[in-house]
Amino acid sequence: MNPSCNLFIIGPTGAGKTSIGRRLAAHYGLPFVDLDQEIERHCGVDVSTVFEIEGEAGFRQRESALLDEQSQRPGVLLATGAGAVLAEHNRRHLTERGYVVWLQTSIEQQLERLERDTRRPLLAGVDRHEKLQAMALVRGPIYRDLADLTVPGEHGSVAAASERCIALIDHHWQRTPTAWPQQTA
């Protein structure tokens, strides 16, 4: 168990991190931060444009900087981007600063949920099934290692998935007060 005042949501593209994260934040009375949306707000353009101009490396630098900044806030629910877990320093920030919830989903569910989505630069112009499978092979073990709690993916509504998450989180999360402990140098 990882006691914390913060909840961090990780998982693959299309797992429902944003949709479920918003509901969880409302339920727990926490401000909600979607890391991709925060990048867009800071840059003034969408993620696809950041990828186009700066490439994946530039995007990942921005993502890491904002993950560091936002994960330091006490009492926040942060939904990461699917690939934020790739950087070791991001993984350290997540595990040290919050209770990490992994939303699982199958590749078939991802394909169904992302069928009409054209905003994901890593899925543009590629065989989506093959790309999602390759990402799952790399990221799945990382998600597993980071997670304080794993929520199995199931078909159904966002409301039903959110209620499942709340039941599991309530059973496992040891929520601490939002006063952030003093860090010593």
Side-chain angles (χ1 to χ4, degrees):
M1 184 163 312
N2 181 9
S4 179
C5 60
N6 294 328
L7 274 177
F8 299 147
I9 309 295
I10 63 171
T13 301
K17 296 180 297 293
T18 300
S19 302
I20 292 170
R22 284 186 199 287
R23 289 173 178 256
L24 296 178
H27 176 81
Y28 292 109
L30 298 171
F32 176 72
V33 177
D34 178 283
L35 199 54
D36 285 344
Q37 290 174 1
E38 197 65 16
I39 291 167
E40 290 178 344
R41 190 177 71 74
H42 273 74
C43 294
V45 296
D46 63 23
V47 167
S48 296
T49 304
V50 175
F51 263 80
E52 185 181 314
I53 294 169
E54 299 181 359
E56 185 174 357
F59 172 81
R60 296 290 175 211
Q61 286 178 335
R62 290 179 180 277
E63 179 180 61
S64 290
L66 284 170
L67 187 144
D68 181 27
E69 175 187 305
Q70 295 298 318
S71 67
Q72 289 186 59
R73 294 175 55 187
V76 67
L77 192 145
L78 173 67
T80 69
V85 299
L86 296 172
E88 190 276 328
H89 54 275
N90 289 347
R91 295 191 298 268
R92 187 174 58 252
H93 294 327
L94 291 168
T95 58
E96 290 175 356
R97 299 175 181 168
Y99 187 78
V100 180
V101 177
W102 172 23
L103 298 183
Q104 290 182 317
T105 190
S106 69
I107 291 171
E108 289 72 28
Q109 287 171 317
Q110 287 176 281
L111 288 168
E112 183 180 306
R113 292 172 183 165
L114 300 170
E115 185 176 17
R116 291 185 229 17
D117 188 311
T118 59
R119 296 186 40 148
R120 319 257 177 175
L122 291 178
L123 297 179
V126 298
D127 177 331
R128 284 185 169 201
H129 186 274
E130 186 178 307
K131 182 66 176 185
L132 291 169
Q133 194 166 30
M135 288 192 293
L137 286 173
V138 171
R139 296 173 182 182
I142 297 170
Y143 295 142
R144 185 176 300 107
D145 288 345
L146 283 176
D148 293 304
L149 176 66
T150 300
V151 179
E154 297 176 16
H155 285 285
S157 70
V158 170
S162 299
E163 290 304 316
R164 263 195 334 275
C165 286
I166 289 167
L168 288 168
I169 291 168
D170 283 350
H171 187 70
H172 295 282
W173 181 31
Q174 183 180 346
R175 188 172 185 178
T176 61
T178 57
W180 202 253
Q182 292 291 326
Q183 304 247 335
T184 56

